[in-house]
Amino acid sequence: MHPKHPSESLTVLTDLVLPSETNPLNNLFGGELLARMDRAASIAARRHSRRIVVTASVNHVAFNRAIPLGSVVTVEAKVSRAFTSSMEIFIDVWIEDRESGNRTKANEAIYTFVAVDEMGHPVPVPPLEPETELEKQRYDAALRRKQLSLVLAGKMKPNDATELKALFI
């Protein structure tokens, strides 16, 4: 399989925060944002793998800023690393100022998707070749995150987590 670049999976969803999507403080429900991020990540994973993809895990979510009613919200997702059949998707959430048009990063998340065949069995995905400095940083960090997840799940021995051990040597 030929390597792909993160930019090939870039998915951008822009939408408005409506009253039915807000909590009593008139901010976007966290669950609504999670759903938007899941949709964007799913499209990014599908673009990379060109296969059916399923959400394997939500590895990290940071709700750093509330997103008020009426905000223009942009969710940007792209593959940060591809493994055998799984892909880590990094998601950035931006709020656009209504008057100036300036964008501020509000939240971020990391999801893992697995490419599957029609029977739901995992299938190989193309490798990823990062290009920008940020893509390279996210690519390198993805292996540490995966190893940490495997160690915590009891699927990898801590001594085998070479990338994690390197952080402490």
Side-chain angles (χ1 to χ4, degrees), residues 15-37 39 63 65-75 93-95 106-107:
D15 206 352
L16 192 64
V17 176
L18 301 173
S20 64
E21 301 166 330
T22 61
N23 62 25
L25 297 174
N26 283 324
N27 293 318
L28 183 65
F29 279 121
E32 175 62 33
L33 182 57
L34 289 170
R36 291 180 188 197
M37 290 189 293
R39 283 191 293 274
F63 294 110
R65 293 183 63 139
I67 302 176
L69 173 65
S71 295
V72 173
V73 180
T74 300
V75 177
V93 179
W94 303 88
I95 303 172
N107 304 295

Side-chain angles (χ1 to χ4, degrees), residues 14-151:
T14 302
D15 206 352
L16 192 64
V17 176
L18 301 173
S20 64
E21 301 166 330
T22 61
N23 62 25
L25 297 174
N26 283 324
N27 293 318
L28 183 65
F29 279 121
E32 175 62 33
L33 182 57
L34 289 170
R36 291 180 188 197
M37 290 189 293
D38 192 50
R39 283 191 293 274
S42 173
I43 294 167
R46 177 108 186 192
R47 285 179 172 166
H48 180 81
S49 66
R50 292 296 168 201
R51 301 301 296 247
I52 298 167
V53 295
V54 294
T55 309
S57 65
V58 177
N59 307 8
H60 167 77
V61 177
F63 294 110
N64 297 320
R65 293 183 63 139
I67 302 176
L69 173 65
S71 295
V72 173
V73 180
T74 300
V75 177
E76 295 178 355
K78 63 180 165 178
V79 176
S80 50
R81 183 132 187 185
F83 296 96
T84 305
S85 60
S86 67
M87 296 155 282
E88 181 189 88
I89 316 299
F90 207 102
I91 304 154
D92 295 302
V93 179
W94 303 88
I95 303 172
E96 185 178 313
D97 183 80
R98 293 179 216 151
E99 301 200 9
S100 70
N102 293 333
R103 291 182 354 147
T104 303
K105 188 169 178 180
N107 304 295
E108 66 182 23
I110 301 170
Y111 283 47
T112 299
F113 278 77
V114 175
V116 297
D117 62 19
E118 290 74 17
M119 300 300 293
H121 299 111
V123 294
V125 299
L128 188 77
E129 194 172 275
E131 297 176 294
T132 69
E133 192 56 41
L134 179 60
E135 290 170 353
K136 290 174 185 174
Q137 290 170 4
R138 289 179 174 178
Y139 179 90
D140 291 341
L143 183 54
R144 292 188 294 272
R145 287 188 288 271
K146 181 173 183 171
Q147 286 186 353
L148 178 59
S149 177
L150 291 172
V151 167

